[in-house]
Amino acid sequence: MTDLFSEGLVSLSEASRWPEWPHRRHGKSVHISTLIRWAQHGISGVRLETIRCGQTLCTTRPAAQRFLYRLTESTGVGPAPEPPRAIGEIQADAILDSEKV
């Protein structure tokens, strides 16, 4: 399970205002009810990762990005681009590569 706390939690209300989401008709932002629906029911079996903090559902930017990548993969439209790797993974790969020499 992904550690959402280390990724910077924000409420779904705040997340609905992220500029990264595609804008809807007339330039409107994604509505919070859309994010709640993505978290509870998902799309094509893919759900937005959330964690409940009291009565508030929260998510993170990396969780939203993973949701969109998985959603793209599930549609069969084409391969999703590789999600960016965490800095720790890149550093670990560099250490392993240097030990091979």
Side-chain angles (χ1 to χ4, degrees):
M1 181 175 187
T2 306
D3 181 15
L4 294 177
F5 283 108
S6 67
E7 295 180 345
L9 287 175
V10 296
S11 70
L12 290 186
S13 176
E14 292 174 53
S16 70
R17 294 187 294 272
W18 286 342
E20 292 85 0
W21 295 118
H23 287 283
R24 312 316 293 165
R25 286 177 278 179
H26 308 292
K28 292 184 179 180
S29 300
V30 172
H31 197 273
I32 184 173
S33 64
T34 302
L35 297 180
I36 292 170
R37 188 172 52 253
W38 290 348
Q40 292 178 343
H41 304 289
I43 302 172
S44 303
V46 179
R47 291 176 46 192
L48 175 63
E49 295 171 56
T50 58
I51 191 167
R52 187 168 291 282
C53 301
Q55 292 296 312
T56 306
L57 272 177
C58 298
T59 193
T60 65
R61 286 180 191 272
Q65 188 175 35
R66 287 189 296 271
F67 169 74
L68 295 174
Y69 282 128
R70 280 184 261 152
L71 188 59
T72 301
E73 289 173 348
S74 73
T75 61
V77 173
E82 273 298 310
R85 295 182 340 164
I87 292 173
E89 291 179 62
I90 295 169
Q91 291 171 339
D93 286 348
I95 291 168
L96 290 174
D97 288 343
S98 68
E99 290 176 356
K100 290 180 185 177
V101 175

Coordinates of all heavy atoms in Angstrom, one line a residue:
M1 N 0.8 -1.2 0.0 CA 0.0 0.0 0.0 C 0.9 1.2 0.0 O 1.9 1.3 0.7 CB -0.9 0.0 1.2 CG -1.8 1.1 1.3 SD -2.9 1.0 2.7 CE -4.0 2.3 2.4
T2 N 0.5 2.2 -0.7 CA 1.2 3.5 -0.8 C 1.0 4.3 0.4 O 0.0 4.4 1.0 CB 0.7 4.3 -2.1 OG1 0.8 3.4 -3.2 CG2 1.5 5.5 -2.3
D3 N 2.1 4.9 0.8 CA 2.1 5.8 2.0 C 1.6 7.2 1.6 O 2.4 8.0 1.2 CB 3.4 5.8 2.7 CG 3.4 6.7 3.9 OD1 2.3 7.0 4.5 OD2 4.5 7.0 4.4
L4 N 0.3 7.4 1.7 CA -0.2 8.7 1.2 C 0.2 9.9 2.1 O 0.3 11.0 1.7 CB -1.8 8.7 1.2 CG -2.4 7.7 0.1 CD1 -3.9 7.7 0.3 CD2 -1.9 8.1 -1.2
F5 N 0.5 9.6 3.4 CA 1.0 10.7 4.3 C 2.3 11.3 3.8 O 2.4 12.5 3.9 CB 1.2 10.2 5.7 CG -0.1 10.0 6.5 CD1 -0.6 8.7 6.7 CD2 -0.9 11.0 6.9 CE1 -1.8 8.5 7.4 CE2 -2.1 10.9 7.6 CZ -2.5 9.6 7.8
S6 N 3.1 10.5 3.3 CA 4.4 11.1 2.8 C 4.3 11.8 1.5 O 5.2 12.5 1.1 CB 5.5 10.0 2.7 OG 5.1 9.1 1.6
E7 N 3.1 11.8 0.8 CA 2.9 12.4 -0.5 C 2.2 13.7 -0.4 O 2.0 14.4 -1.4 CB 2.2 11.5 -1.4 CG 2.9 10.2 -1.7 CD 2.2 9.3 -2.7 OE1 1.0 9.5 -2.8 OE2 2.8 8.4 -3.2
G8 N 1.9 14.2 0.8 CA 1.3 15.5 1.0 C -0.3 15.5 0.8 O -0.7 15.8 -0.3
L9 N -1.0 15.1 1.8 CA -2.4 15.0 1.8 C -3.1 16.3 1.6 O -2.7 17.3 2.2 CB -3.0 14.4 3.1 CG -2.7 12.9 3.3 CD1 -3.2 12.5 4.7 CD2 -3.4 12.1 2.2
V10 N -4.1 16.3 0.8 CA -5.0 17.5 0.7 C -6.5 16.9 0.6 O -6.7 15.8 0.2 CB -4.8 18.3 -0.6 CG1 -3.4 18.9 -0.5 CG2 -4.9 17.5 -1.9
S11 N -7.4 17.7 1.0 CA -8.8 17.3 0.9 C -9.3 17.2 -0.5 O -8.7 17.9 -1.4 CB -9.7 18.3 1.7 OG -9.8 19.5 1.0
L12 N -10.3 16.5 -0.8 CA -10.8 16.4 -2.1 C -11.3 17.7 -2.6 O -11.3 18.0 -3.8 CB -11.9 15.3 -2.3 CG -11.5 13.9 -2.1 CD1 -12.6 12.9 -2.4 CD2 -10.3 13.6 -3.0
S13 N -11.8 18.6 -1.7 CA -12.3 19.9 -2.0 C -11.1 20.7 -2.6 O -11.2 21.4 -3.6 CB -12.8 20.6 -0.8 OG -13.2 21.9 -1.1
E14 N -9.9 20.6 -1.9 CA -8.7 21.3 -2.4 C -8.3 20.7 -3.7 O -7.9 21.4 -4.7 CB -7.6 21.3 -1.4 CG -7.9 22.1 -0.1 CD -6.8 21.8 0.9 OE1 -5.6 22.0 0.5 OE2 -7.1 21.4 2.0
A15 N -8.3 19.4 -3.8 CA -7.8 18.7 -5.0 C -8.7 19.0 -6.2 O -8.2 19.1 -7.3 CB -7.8 17.2 -4.8
S16 N -9.9 19.3 -6.0 CA -10.8 19.7 -7.2 C -10.4 21.0 -7.8 O -10.7 21.2 -9.0 CB -12.3 19.8 -6.7 OG -12.5 20.9 -5.9
R17 N -9.6 21.8 -7.2 CA -9.1 23.1 -7.7 C -7.7 23.0 -8.4 O -7.2 24.0 -8.8 CB -9.2 24.1 -6.6 CG -10.6 24.5 -6.2 CD -10.6 25.7 -5.2 NE -9.9 25.4 -4.0 CZ -10.5 24.9 -2.9 NH1 -11.8 24.5 -2.9 NH2 -9.9 24.7 -1.8
W18 N -7.1 21.8 -8.4 CA -5.8 21.6 -9.0 C -5.9 22.0 -10.5 O -6.8 21.5 -11.2 CB -5.3 20.2 -8.9 CG -4.8 19.9 -7.5 CD1 -4.5 20.7 -6.5 CD2 -4.7 18.5 -7.0 NE1 -4.1 20.0 -5.4 CE2 -4.2 18.7 -5.6 CE3 -4.9 17.3 -7.5 CZ2 -4.0 17.6 -4.9 CZ3 -4.6 16.2 -6.7 CH2 -4.1 16.3 -5.4
P19 N -5.0 22.8 -11.0 CA -5.0 23.1 -12.4 C -4.7 22.0 -13.3 O -4.9 22.0 -14.5 CB -4.0 24.3 -12.5 CG -3.1 24.0 -11.4 CD -3.9 23.4 -10.3
E20 N -4.1 20.9 -12.8 CA -3.7 19.7 -13.6 C -4.9 19.0 -14.2 O -4.8 18.3 -15.2 CB -2.8 18.7 -12.8 CG -1.5 19.3 -12.5 CD -1.5 20.1 -11.2 OE1 -2.5 20.3 -10.6 OE2 -0.4 20.6 -10.8
W21 N -6.1 19.0 -13.5 CA -7.3 18.3 -14.0 C -7.7 19.0 -15.2 O -7.6 20.2 -15.4 CB -8.4 18.4 -12.9 CG -8.2 17.7 -11.7 CD1 -8.2 18.3 -10.4 CD2 -8.0 16.3 -11.4 NE1 -8.0 17.4 -9.5 CE2 -7.9 16.1 -10.0 CE3 -7.9 15.2 -12.2 CZ2 -7.7 14.9 -9.4 CZ3 -7.7 14.0 -11.7 CH2 -7.6 13.8 -10.3
P22 N -8.2 18.2 -16.2 CA -8.8 18.9 -17.4 C -10.0 19.7 -17.0 O -10.8 19.3 -16.2 CB -9.1 17.7 -18.3 CG -9.3 16.5 -17.4 CD -8.4 16.8 -16.2
H23 N -10.1 20.9 -17.6 CA -11.2 21.7 -17.4 C -12.4 21.2 -18.2 O -12.3 20.7 -19.3 CB -10.9 23.2 -17.6 CG -10.0 23.8 -16.6 ND1 -10.4 24.1 -15.4 CD2 -8.7 24.0 -16.6 CE1 -9.4 24.6 -14.7 NE2 -8.3 24.5 -15.4
R24 N -13.6 21.4 -17.6 CA -14.8 21.0 -18.2 C -15.4 22.1 -19.0 O -14.7 23.1 -19.3 CB -15.8 20.6 -17.1 CG -15.3 19.6 -16.0 CD -14.5 18.5 -16.5 NE -15.2 17.5 -17.3 CZ -14.7 16.6 -18.0 NH1 -13.4 16.5 -18.1 NH2 -15.5 15.8 -18.7
R25 N -16.6 22.0 -19.4 CA -17.3 23.0 -20.2 C -17.2 24.4 -19.6 O -17.3 24.5 -18.4 CB -18.8 22.6 -20.4 CG -19.0 21.5 -21.4 CD -20.4 21.2 -21.5 NE -20.7 20.3 -20.3 CZ -21.8 19.8 -20.0 NH1 -22.9 20.1 -20.7 NH2 -22.0 19.0 -19.0
H26 N -17.0 25.4 -20.4 CA -16.9 26.8 -20.0 C -15.8 27.0 -19.0 O -15.9 27.9 -18.2 CB -18.3 27.2 -19.4 CG -19.5 26.9 -20.3 ND1 -19.6 27.6 -21.5 CD2 -20.5 26.1 -20.1 CE1 -20.7 27.1 -22.1 NE2 -21.3 26.2 -21.3
G27 N -14.7 26.2 -19.1 CA -13.6 26.4 -18.2 C -13.8 26.0 -16.7 O -13.0 26.4 -15.9
K28 N -14.9 25.3 -16.4 CA -15.1 25.0 -15.0 C -14.2 23.9 -14.5 O -13.8 23.0 -15.3 CB -16.6 24.5 -14.9 CG -17.6 25.5 -15.1 CD -19.0 25.0 -14.8 CE -20.0 26.1 -15.0 NZ -21.4 25.6 -14.8
S29 N -13.8 23.9 -13.3 CA -13.0 22.9 -12.6 C -13.7 21.6 -12.4 O -15.0 21.6 -12.5 CB -12.5 23.4 -11.3 OG -11.7 24.6 -11.5
V30 N -13.0 20.6 -12.2 CA -13.6 19.3 -11.8 C -14.4 19.5 -10.5 O -13.9 20.1 -9.6 CB -12.6 18.2 -11.7 CG1 -13.2 16.9 -11.1 CG2 -11.9 17.9 -13.0
H31 N -15.6 19.0 -10.4 CA -16.4 19.2 -9.2 C -16.0 18.2 -8.2 O -15.6 17.1 -8.5 CB -17.9 19.0 -9.6 CG -18.8 19.6 -8.5 ND1 -19.2 18.9 -7.4 CD2 -19.4 20.8 -8.4 CE1 -20.0 19.6 -6.6 NE2 -20.1 20.8 -7.2
I32 N -16.1 18.6 -6.9 CA -15.7 17.7 -5.8 C -16.5 16.4 -5.9 O -16.0 15.3 -5.5 CB -15.9 18.4 -4.4 CG1 -15.4 17.4 -3.3 CG2 -17.3 18.8 -4.2 CD1 -15.3 18.0 -2.0
S33 N -17.8 16.4 -6.3 CA -18.6 15.2 -6.3 C -18.0 14.2 -7.4 O -18.1 13.0 -7.2 CB -20.0 15.5 -6.7 OG -20.1 16.1 -8.0
T34 N -17.3 14.7 -8.4 CA -16.7 13.9 -9.4 C -15.5 13.1 -8.7 O -15.4 11.9 -8.9 CB -16.2 14.7 -10.6 OG1 -17.3 15.4 -11.1 CG2 -15.5 13.8 -11.6
L35 N -14.7 13.8 -7.9 CA -13.6 13.2 -7.2 C -14.1 12.1 -6.2 O -13.5 11.1 -6.1 CB -12.7 14.2 -6.5 CG -12.0 15.2 -7.5 CD1 -11.2 16.2 -6.7 CD2 -11.2 14.5 -8.5
I36 N -15.2 12.5 -5.5 CA -15.8 11.5 -4.6 C -16.3 10.3 -5.3 O -16.0 9.1 -4.9 CB -16.9 12.2 -3.8 CG1 -16.4 13.3 -2.8 CG2 -17.7 11.1 -3.0 CD1 -17.4 14.2 -2.2
R37 N -16.9 10.5 -6.4 CA -17.4 9.3 -7.2 C -16.2 8.5 -7.7 O -16.2 7.3 -7.7 CB -18.2 9.8 -8.4 CG -18.9 8.7 -9.2 CD -19.9 9.3 -10.2 NE -19.3 10.3 -11.1 CZ -19.5 11.6 -11.1 NH1 -20.4 12.1 -10.2 NH2 -19.0 12.4 -12.0
W38 N -15.1 9.1 -8.2 CA -13.9 8.4 -8.6 C -13.3 7.6 -7.5 O -12.8 6.5 -7.7 CB -12.9 9.4 -9.2 CG -13.2 10.0 -10.5 CD1 -14.3 9.6 -11.3 CD2 -12.6 11.1 -11.1 NE1 -14.3 10.4 -12.5 CE2 -13.2 11.3 -12.4 CE3 -11.5 11.8 -10.8 CZ2 -12.8 12.3 -13.2 CZ3 -11.1 12.8 -11.7 CH2 -11.7 13.1 -12.9
A39 N -13.4 8.2 -6.2 CA -12.8 7.5 -5.1 C -13.7 6.3 -4.6 O -13.2 5.2 -4.3 CB -12.6 8.5 -3.9
Q40 N -15.0 6.5 -4.7 CA -15.9 5.5 -4.1 C -16.2 4.4 -5.2 O -16.2 3.2 -4.8 CB -17.2 6.1 -3.7 CG -17.0 7.0 -2.4 CD -18.3 7.6 -2.0 OE1 -19.3 7.7 -2.7 NE2 -18.3 8.1 -0.7
H41 N -16.5 4.8 -6.4 CA -16.9 3.8 -7.4 C -15.9 3.6 -8.5 O -15.9 2.5 -9.1 CB -18.3 4.3 -8.1 CG -19.3 4.6 -7.1 ND1 -20.0 3.6 -6.4 CD2 -19.9 5.7 -6.6 CE1 -20.9 4.1 -5.5 NE2 -20.8 5.4 -5.7
G42 N -15.1 4.6 -8.8 CA -14.1 4.5 -9.8 C -14.6 4.5 -11.2 O -15.8 4.8 -11.4
I43 N -13.8 4.3 -12.1 CA -14.1 4.3 -13.6 C -13.5 3.0 -14.1 O -12.3 2.8 -14.0 CB -13.6 5.5 -14.3 CG1 -14.1 6.8 -13.7 CG2 -13.9 5.4 -15.8 CD1 -13.4 8.0 -14.3
S44 N -14.3 2.2 -14.7 CA -13.8 0.9 -15.3 C -12.9 0.1 -14.3 O -11.9 -0.4 -14.6 CB -12.9 1.2 -16.5 OG -13.7 1.9 -17.5
G45 N -13.3 0.1 -13.0 CA -12.6 -0.6 -12.0 C -11.4 0.1 -11.4 O -10.7 -0.5 -10.6
V46 N -11.1 1.3 -11.9 CA -9.9 2.0 -11.4 C -10.5 3.1 -10.4 O -11.3 3.9 -10.8 CB -9.2 2.7 -12.5 CG1 -8.0 3.5 -12.0 CG2 -8.7 1.6 -13.5
R47 N -10.0 3.1 -9.2 CA -10.4 4.0 -8.2 C -9.3 5.0 -7.8 O -8.1 4.6 -7.8 CB -10.9 3.3 -6.9 CG -12.2 2.5 -7.2 CD -12.7 1.7 -6.0 NE -12.6 2.5 -4.8 CZ -12.7 2.0 -3.6 NH1 -12.9 0.7 -3.5 NH2 -12.7 2.7 -2.5
L48 N -9.7 6.2 -7.5 CA -8.8 7.2 -7.0 C -8.4 6.9 -5.5 O -9.3 6.6 -4.7 CB -9.4 8.6 -7.0 CG -8.6 9.8 -6.4 CD1 -7.3 10.0 -7.2 CD2 -9.5 11.0 -6.4
E49 N -7.1 6.8 -5.2 CA -6.7 6.5 -3.9 C -7.0 7.6 -2.9 O -6.7 8.8 -3.2 CB -5.1 6.3 -3.8 CG -4.6 5.1 -4.6 CD -3.1 5.2 -4.7 OE1 -2.4 5.2 -3.6 OE2 -2.6 5.2 -5.8
T50 N -7.6 7.3 -1.8 CA -8.0 8.3 -0.8 C -7.7 7.7 0.6 O -7.6 6.5 0.7 CB -9.4 8.8 -0.9 OG1 -10.3 7.6 -0.7 CG2 -9.7 9.5 -2.2
I51 N -7.7 8.6 1.5 CA -7.6 8.2 2.9 C -8.6 9.1 3.7 O -8.7 10.3 3.3 CB -6.2 8.3 3.5 CG1 -6.1 7.6 4.8 CG2 -5.7 9.7 3.5 CD1 -4.6 7.4 5.3
R52 N -9.3 8.6 4.7 CA -10.2 9.4 5.4 C -9.5 10.0 6.7 O -8.9 9.2 7.4 CB -11.4 8.5 5.9 CG -12.5 9.4 6.5 CD -13.8 8.6 6.6 NE -14.5 8.3 5.4 CZ -15.2 9.2 4.7 NH1 -15.3 10.4 5.1 NH2 -15.8 8.9 3.6
C53 N -9.6 11.3 6.8 CA -9.1 12.0 8.0 C -10.3 12.6 8.7 O -10.8 13.6 8.3 CB -8.1 13.1 7.5 SG -6.7 12.5 6.6
G54 N -10.8 11.9 9.7 CA -12.1 12.3 10.3 C -13.2 12.1 9.3 O -13.4 11.0 8.8
Q55 N -13.9 13.2 9.0 CA -15.0 13.2 8.0 C -14.5 13.6 6.7 O -15.4 13.8 5.8 CB -16.1 14.1 8.5 CG -16.8 13.5 9.8 CD -17.5 12.2 9.5 OE1 -18.2 12.0 8.5 NE2 -17.3 11.2 10.3
T56 N -13.3 13.9 6.5 CA -12.8 14.4 5.2 C -12.0 13.4 4.4 O -11.1 12.7 4.9 CB -11.8 15.6 5.5 OG1 -12.5 16.5 6.4 CG2 -11.3 16.3 4.3
L57 N -12.4 13.2 3.2 CA -11.6 12.4 2.3 C -10.4 13.2 1.7 O -10.6 14.3 1.3 CB -12.5 11.9 1.1 CG -13.3 10.6 1.3 CD1 -14.1 10.3 0.1 CD2 -12.4 9.4 1.6
C58 N -9.3 12.6 1.7 CA -8.1 13.2 1.2 C -7.4 12.4 0.2 O -7.5 11.2 0.2 CB -7.1 13.5 2.4 SG -7.8 14.6 3.7
T59 N -6.6 13.0 -0.7 CA -5.8 12.3 -1.6 C -4.5 13.1 -1.8 O -4.2 14.1 -1.1 CB -6.6 12.2 -3.0 OG1 -5.8 11.3 -3.8 CG2 -6.7 13.5 -3.7
T60 N -3.7 12.7 -2.8 CA -2.4 13.4 -3.1 C -2.3 13.6 -4.6 O -2.9 12.9 -5.4 CB -1.2 12.6 -2.5 OG1 -1.1 11.4 -3.3 CG2 -1.3 12.3 -1.1
R61 N -1.4 14.5 -5.0 CA -1.1 14.6 -6.4 C -0.6 13.3 -7.0 O -1.0 12.9 -8.1 CB -0.1 15.8 -6.6 CG -0.8 17.1 -6.5 CD 0.2 18.3 -6.7 NE -0.3 19.5 -6.3 CZ -1.0 20.3 -7.1 NH1 -1.3 20.0 -8.3 NH2 -1.5 21.5 -6.6
P62 N 0.4 12.7 -6.4 CA 0.9 11.4 -7.0 C -0.2 10.4 -7.1 O -0.3 9.6 -8.0 CB 2.0 11.0 -6.0 CG 2.5 12.2 -5.4 CD 1.3 13.1 -5.2
A63 N -1.1 10.3 -6.1 CA -2.2 9.4 -6.2 C -3.2 9.7 -7.3 O -3.6 8.8 -8.1 CB -3.0 9.4 -4.9
A64 N -3.4 11.0 -7.6 CA -4.2 11.4 -8.7 C -3.5 11.0 -10.0 O -4.2 10.5 -11.0 CB -4.5 12.9 -8.6
Q65 N -2.2 11.2 -10.1 CA -1.5 10.9 -11.3 C -1.5 9.4 -11.5 O -1.7 8.9 -12.7 CB 0.0 11.3 -11.1 CG 0.8 11.2 -12.4 CD 2.2 11.8 -12.2 OE1 2.8 11.7 -11.1 NE2 2.7 12.4 -13.2
R66 N -1.4 8.5 -10.5 CA -1.4 7.1 -10.6 C -2.8 6.7 -11.1 O -3.0 5.8 -12.0 CB -1.1 6.4 -9.3 CG 0.3 6.4 -9.0 CD 0.6 5.5 -7.8 NE 0.0 6.0 -6.5 CZ 0.5 6.8 -5.7 NH1 1.7 7.3 -5.9 NH2 -0.2 7.1 -4.6
F67 N -3.9 7.3 -10.6 CA -5.2 7.1 -11.0 C -5.4 7.3 -12.5 O -5.9 6.5 -13.3 CB -6.2 8.0 -10.3 CG -7.6 8.0 -10.8 CD1 -8.5 6.9 -10.6 CD2 -8.1 9.1 -11.5 CE1 -9.8 6.9 -11.1 CE2 -9.4 9.1 -11.9 CZ -10.2 8.0 -11.7
L68 N -4.9 8.4 -13.0 CA -5.0 8.8 -14.4 C -4.2 7.8 -15.3 O -4.7 7.4 -16.4 CB -4.6 10.2 -14.7 CG -5.5 11.3 -14.0 CD1 -4.9 12.7 -14.2 CD2 -6.9 11.2 -14.6
Y69 N -3.0 7.4 -14.9 CA -2.2 6.5 -15.6 C -2.9 5.1 -15.7 O -3.0 4.5 -16.8 CB -0.8 6.3 -15.0 CG 0.2 7.4 -15.3 CD1 0.8 8.0 -14.2 CD2 0.4 7.8 -16.6 CE1 1.8 9.0 -14.5 CE2 1.3 8.8 -16.8 CZ 2.0 9.4 -15.8 OH 2.9 10.4 -16.0
R70 N -3.4 4.6 -14.6 CA -4.1 3.3 -14.6 C -5.4 3.4 -15.4 O -5.8 2.4 -16.1 CB -4.5 2.9 -13.1 CG -3.3 2.3 -12.4 CD -3.7 1.8 -11.1 NE -3.2 2.9 -10.2 CZ -3.7 3.2 -9.0 NH1 -4.8 2.6 -8.6 NH2 -3.3 4.2 -8.3
L71 N -6.1 4.5 -15.4 CA -7.3 4.7 -16.2 C -7.0 4.6 -17.7 O -7.7 4.0 -18.4 CB -8.0 6.0 -15.8 CG -9.3 6.3 -16.4 CD1 -10.3 5.2 -16.0 CD2 -9.8 7.6 -16.0
T72 N -5.9 5.3 -18.1 CA -5.4 5.2 -19.4 C -5.1 3.8 -19.9 O -5.5 3.4 -20.9 CB -4.2 6.2 -19.6 OG1 -4.6 7.5 -19.3 CG2 -3.7 6.1 -21.1
E73 N -4.4 3.1 -19.0 CA -4.0 1.7 -19.3 C -5.3 0.8 -19.5 O -5.3 -0.1 -20.3 CB -3.1 1.1 -18.2 CG -1.7 1.7 -18.2 CD -0.9 1.3 -17.0 OE1 -1.5 0.7 -16.1 OE2 0.3 1.5 -17.0
S74 N -6.3 1.1 -18.6 CA -7.5 0.2 -18.6 C -8.3 0.4 -19.8 O -9.1 -0.5 -20.2 CB -8.3 0.4 -17.3 OG -9.0 1.7 -17.4
T75 N -8.2 1.5 -20.5 CA -9.1 1.7 -21.7 C -8.6 1.0 -22.9 O -9.3 0.9 -23.9 CB -9.2 3.3 -22.0 OG1 -7.8 3.8 -22.3 CG2 -9.8 4.0 -20.9
G76 N -7.3 0.6 -22.9 CA -6.8 -0.1 -24.1 C -6.5 0.9 -25.2 O -6.2 0.4 -26.3
V77 N -6.5 2.2 -25.0 CA -6.3 3.1 -26.1 C -4.9 3.1 -26.5 O -4.5 3.2 -27.7 CB -6.7 4.6 -25.6 CG1 -6.3 5.6 -26.6 CG2 -8.2 4.6 -25.3
G78 N -4.0 2.8 -25.6 CA -2.6 2.8 -25.9 C -1.8 2.7 -24.6 O -2.4 2.9 -23.5
P79 N -0.6 2.5 -24.7 CA 0.2 2.4 -23.4 C 0.2 3.8 -22.7 O 0.4 4.8 -23.4 CB 1.6 2.0 -23.9 CG 1.7 2.3 -25.3 CD 0.3 2.3 -25.8
A80 N 0.1 3.7 -21.4 CA 0.2 5.0 -20.7 C 1.7 5.3 -20.6 O 2.5 4.5 -20.6 CB -0.4 4.8 -19.3
P81 N 2.0 6.6 -20.5 CA 3.4 7.0 -20.3 C 3.9 6.5 -19.0 O 3.1 6.3 -18.1 CB 3.3 8.5 -20.4 CG 1.9 8.9 -20.2 CD 1.1 7.7 -20.6
E82 N 5.1 6.3 -18.9 CA 5.7 5.8 -17.6 C 5.6 6.9 -16.6 O 5.9 8.0 -16.8 CB 7.2 5.6 -17.8 CG 7.6 4.2 -18.3 CD 7.2 3.1 -17.3 OE1 7.5 3.2 -16.1 OE2 6.5 2.2 -17.8
P83 N 5.0 6.5 -15.4 CA 4.9 7.5 -14.3 C 6.3 7.9 -13.8 O 7.2 7.0 -13.9 CB 4.1 6.8 -13.2 CG 4.2 5.4 -13.6 CD 4.5 5.2 -15.0
P84 N 6.5 9.1 -13.4 CA 7.8 9.5 -12.9 C 8.2 8.6 -11.7 O 7.3 8.3 -10.9 CB 7.7 10.9 -12.6 CG 6.3 11.3 -12.7 CD 5.6 10.2 -13.4
R85 N 9.5 8.3 -11.6 CA 9.9 7.5 -10.5 C 10.3 8.4 -9.3 O 10.7 9.5 -9.4 CB 11.1 6.6 -10.9 CG 10.7 5.6 -11.9 CD 11.7 4.7 -12.4 NE 13.1 5.1 -12.1 CZ 14.1 4.3 -12.2 NH1 14.0 3.1 -12.5 NH2 15.3 4.7 -11.9
A86 N 10.2 7.8 -8.1 CA 10.5 8.5 -6.9 C 12.0 8.7 -6.9 O 12.8 7.9 -7.4 CB 10.1 7.7 -5.7
I87 N 12.5 9.8 -6.2 CA 13.9 10.1 -6.1 C 14.6 8.9 -5.5 O 15.7 8.5 -5.9 CB 14.1 11.4 -5.3 CG1 13.6 12.5 -6.2 CG2 15.6 11.6 -5.0 CD1 13.6 13.9 -5.4
G88 N 14.1 8.3 -4.5 CA 14.7 7.1 -3.8 C 15.0 6.0 -4.7 O 16.0 5.3 -4.7
E89 N 14.0 5.7 -5.7 CA 14.2 4.7 -6.6 C 15.4 5.0 -7.6 O 16.2 4.1 -7.9 CB 13.0 4.4 -7.5 CG 11.8 3.9 -6.7 CD 10.6 3.7 -7.7 OE1 10.7 3.0 -8.6 OE2 9.6 4.4 -7.4
I90 N 15.5 6.2 -8.0 CA 16.5 6.6 -8.9 C 17.9 6.5 -8.2 O 18.8 6.0 -8.8 CB 16.3 8.1 -9.4 CG1 15.0 8.1 -10.3 CG2 17.5 8.6 -10.2 CD1 14.5 9.5 -10.6
Q91 N 17.9 7.0 -7.0 CA 19.2 6.9 -6.2 C 19.6 5.4 -6.0 O 20.8 5.1 -6.1 CB 19.1 7.6 -4.9 CG 18.9 9.1 -5.0 CD 18.6 9.8 -3.7 OE1 18.1 9.1 -2.8 NE2 18.8 11.1 -3.6
A92 N 18.6 4.5 -5.7 CA 18.9 3.1 -5.5 C 19.5 2.5 -6.8 O 20.4 1.7 -6.8 CB 17.7 2.4 -5.1
D93 N 18.9 2.9 -8.0 CA 19.3 2.4 -9.2 C 20.8 2.8 -9.5 O 21.6 2.1 -10.0 CB 18.4 2.8 -10.4 CG 17.1 2.1 -10.4 OD1 17.0 1.1 -9.7 OD2 16.2 2.5 -11.1
A94 N 21.1 4.1 -9.2 CA 22.4 4.6 -9.4 C 23.4 3.9 -8.5 O 24.5 3.5 -9.0 CB 22.5 6.1 -9.1
I95 N 23.1 3.5 -7.3 CA 24.0 2.8 -6.4 C 24.2 1.4 -7.0 O 25.3 0.9 -7.0 CB 23.4 2.7 -5.0 CG1 23.4 4.1 -4.4 CG2 24.2 1.8 -4.1 CD1 22.7 4.3 -3.1
L96 N 23.1 0.7 -7.4 CA 23.3 -0.6 -7.9 C 24.1 -0.6 -9.2 O 24.9 -1.5 -9.4 CB 21.9 -1.2 -8.2 CG 21.1 -1.6 -7.0 CD1 19.7 -2.0 -7.4 CD2 21.7 -2.7 -6.2
D97 N 23.9 0.4 -10.1 CA 24.7 0.5 -11.3 C 26.2 0.7 -11.0 O 27.0 0.1 -11.6 CB 24.2 1.6 -12.2 CG 22.9 1.3 -12.8 OD1 22.5 0.1 -12.9 OD2 22.2 2.2 -13.3
S98 N 26.5 1.5 -10.0 CA 27.9 1.8 -9.6 C 28.5 0.6 -9.0 O 29.7 0.4 -9.2 CB 28.0 3.0 -8.7 OG 27.4 2.6 -7.4
E99 N 27.8 -0.3 -8.4 CA 28.3 -1.5 -7.8 C 28.6 -2.6 -8.8 O 29.5 -3.4 -8.6 CB 27.4 -2.1 -6.7 CG 27.3 -1.2 -5.5 CD 26.3 -1.7 -4.5 OE1 25.6 -2.7 -4.8 OE2 26.2 -1.1 -3.4
K100 N 28.0 -2.5 -10.0 CA 28.2 -3.5 -11.0 C 29.5 -3.3 -11.7 O 30.1 -4.2 -12.3 CB 27.1 -3.4 -12.1 CG 25.7 -3.9 -11.6 CD 24.7 -3.8 -12.7 CE 23.3 -4.1 -12.2 NZ 22.3 -3.9 -13.2
V101 N 30.1 -2.1 -11.6 CA 31.3 -1.8 -12.3 C 32.5 -2.3 -11.6 O 32.9 -3.0 -11.0 CB 31.5 -0.2 -12.4 CG1 32.8 0.1 -13.0 CG2 30.4 0.3 -13.2

